[in-house]
Amino acid sequence: QNSHGEAGSDCKHAPALSHHIHVLFWPSNEASVNEAMRLQHAFIDHFNLRSTPNCTFTAGDPQPNLPNMCSFEVNWAPAGRFLTAQY
């Protein structure tokens, strides 16, 4: 689908504009929080994002011209379609 929700004639060879992941976890469960934070820190370290500012746009915006990676802050309460904490 294109940005207007219309089916495209040939999406088979459409370029990927961006990638993003979501990690959902139970904020009231210490083990769930610890594992989510461990994964977030490992991701940030692996991609050398410690000194990079957090993303300042919504996750639904692909930002095709953004030259560098960024990470989103943790949403500790349900947000959007997610019923748990997530980043």
Side-chain angles (χ1 to χ4, degrees):
Q1 292 183 343
N2 63 22
S3 62
H4 302 289
E6 303 161 340
S9 60
D10 183 15
C11 290
K12 185 176 181 179
H13 301 289
L17 298 179
S18 67
H19 299 278
H20 73 267
I21 62 170
H22 291 273
V23 174
L24 284 68
F25 59 95
W26 299 111
S28 60
N29 181 299
E30 184 178 354
S32 181
V33 170
N34 288 341
E35 184 60 19
M37 295 301 101
R38 184 201 63 74
L39 180 60
Q40 183 190 50
H41 293 177
F43 180 89
I44 288 170
D45 289 341
H46 179 80
F47 290 103
N48 197 27
L49 299 175
R50 284 272 171 220
S51 60
T52 303
N54 285 336
C55 301
T56 57
F57 52 89
T58 64
D61 183 351
Q63 292 288 310
N65 297 316
L66 186 70
N68 301 311
M69 290 179 65
C70 60
S71 58
F72 288 96
E73 292 184 3
V74 175
N75 285 326
W76 291 98
R81 69 184 84 168
F82 302 111
L83 304 178
T84 66
Q86 60 93 21
Y87 59 85

